[in-house]
Amino acid sequence: MKPKEMAERLGVSVKTLQKWDRQGKLPAKRTVTNRRYYTEADYLKAIGQPKANRKNVIYARVSTAAQKD
């Protein structure tokens, strides 16, 4: 999520998130263009809740060469 969304969820300012990132209190992830972003796991860690017990499900459709688009 974007820093603005994370700040709103935590009830702090974006500047506070930037400060926490510099101090290492709540490190942000970075995109290839060096923009900050946060994950749901980062949010849960910030509010002191354990990680969500979730399973990832992957679906892949396999087509044959004779099948139409």
Side-chain angles (χ1 to χ4, degrees):
M1 70 187 78
K2 294 181 180 180
K4 182 178 179 182
E5 184 182 345
M6 181 71 150
E8 288 173 356
R9 290 178 79 177
L10 292 175
V12 299
S13 69
V14 174
K15 292 283 187 185
T16 300
L17 283 181
Q18 292 171 352
K19 180 179 168 184
W20 289 350
D21 183 29
R22 286 190 302 273
Q23 294 174 345
K25 289 182 180 181
L26 184 60
K29 311 272 188 300
R30 300 289 182 141
T31 65
V32 293
T33 56
N34 208 29
R35 293 187 178 264
R36 290 178 173 98
Y37 73 94
Y38 297 91
T39 62
E40 188 69 21
D42 294 331
Y43 172 71
L44 292 174
K45 181 180 175 184
I47 62 171
Q49 288 191 357
K51 290 183 180 179
N53 188 12
R54 297 174 19 173
K55 294 180 181 179
N56 292 329
V57 178
I58 299 173
Y59 169 78
R61 180 175 171 223
V62 180
S63 303
T64 63
Q67 188 175 2
K68 295 181 181 179
D69 290 334

